[in-house]
Amino acid sequence: MKRRQAVSRENTEFIRLSVDEVYGGHVRSEEDDPGLPMLAASIARHGLLQPIVVRQNEQRYELVCGARRLRAFKMLGKQYIDAHLFRGDAVEAASCFVEENRTRVVPSFLDEARLLEQAEEECALPRTLTSRLLKMGRLDEQTSQAIRNAHLTLEQAEPLLQVPQKERRLEAAAIIAERALTPRQARRLVLPEKKDMHMLTGKRRAVREALDAIHVLVEKLNAQGMCAGTRVLSQNCGLCIQIMLKTTESSEKMQEKKIESRTLKVD
C-alpha cells in the first residue's frame, strides 16, 4: 500500500495520509475529552464514516476539520487516515471549520434512545449511558414530545422518570423549561413526592422503635416477677399504647393497674 493514495471524483479529492503528515490547524482544546474513547471505540467497530478535512501546505497537510477524529485514530494506534483535500486558502479553511461546526445538528437524546432499542448490543456507548437513554425512551409519547418542544437536555429530563403520573410529568417538564432549571433544580422540583414517601416511612419506623422500647420495658418488669402486658387503643387520629401491670389482691379478683400510658400519633 502506498503511503499516500489519491482518488479524484468530479471536484472532490479524497486522499489517504499518514497521521504524522497532518499537523495543527483549527484544533480544539487539548483538555480532557470524555467522549474521545467512545469515538475511538466507534471508529474501531465501524471504521471512519466521515474523513477529516486537510489543506496542503508544502509537503505536509494542515488540519481543517476533524481534530477529534484524528486524535481518536492516534489513540487507536492507526497509521493512516482518510482525508478530504480542501483547495481553498487559509481564510476559506477557517470559514469551512466554523461552518461545519456551527451548522451541525445534534440529534435529540430521545431519537438516540429509539435507535438504541434496535442496536443496543452493537453500540460502543458506555453501558451506563445506554441504560439511561433506554429508560428515557420508555416515556410516553406525550411526555417525550414535551421534552422535545422544550429542548430539555438528558440531565434536565431524567428527573421526570421519578414522577409516576403523566399529568404531573407534563407539568414538571413545562416548569423546568419555563424556569430554565438546572439538572439539580429539576431533581429538587420532583423531590417532594419522594420526600413524602420517606416521611411516611420515617413515621412508621418511629412507631416501630417505640413499640420495641415498650416491649423491652415489659420484659424487664416480667423478669422482676411482675405480670406485665401491653394494650393498644385507637384514640382520635393516633394510637394509645398502655403498659398494664396485673397484681393479685385476692385469690378470686384481679385488678389492673395502669403504670404508663403513651400516645403516638400515626397519620
Side-chain angles (χ1 to χ4, degrees), residues 40-159:
S42 177
I43 291 174
R45 184 186 293 264
H46 306 293
L48 183 64
L49 302 181
Q50 182 179 0
I52 63 173
V53 181
V54 298
R55 186 174 73 93
Q56 189 167 8
N57 188 358
E58 297 180 354
Q59 298 301 315
R60 300 185 68 194
Y61 292 84
E62 180 183 16
L63 182 66
V64 177
C65 302
R68 296 181 71 249
R69 282 164 275 167
L70 180 62
R71 289 173 61 190
F73 255 63
K74 292 180 178 179
M75 178 182 290
L76 292 170
K78 292 185 176 292
Q79 190 174 0
Y80 298 98
I81 187 169
D82 293 333
H84 170 69
L85 183 60
F86 185 78
R87 299 197 178 278
D89 57 22
V91 174
E92 291 173 321
S95 176
C96 176
F97 172 81
V98 173
E99 290 169 0
E100 184 194 70
N101 286 278
R102 293 300 299 178
T103 58
R104 182 181 294 121
V105 178
V106 179
S108 166
F109 66 86
L110 290 171
D111 296 329
E112 294 174 341
R114 298 281 191 266
L115 293 173
L116 276 175
E117 292 178 356
Q118 306 172 26
E120 179 182 358
E121 299 301 326
E122 298 297 326
C123 186
L125 294 178
R127 300 297 298 180
T128 52
L129 179 57
T130 300
S131 177
R132 292 169 61 195
L133 289 171
L134 288 174
K135 287 179 182 178
M136 295 302 300
R138 299 187 185 104
L139 284 171
D140 64 277
E141 186 58 36
Q142 196 170 355
T143 301
S144 298
Q145 191 58 49
I147 292 173
R148 286 192 180 92
N149 295 340
H151 304 290
L152 299 184
T153 65
L154 171 61
E155 290 73 18
Q156 285 178 306
E158 274 185 308

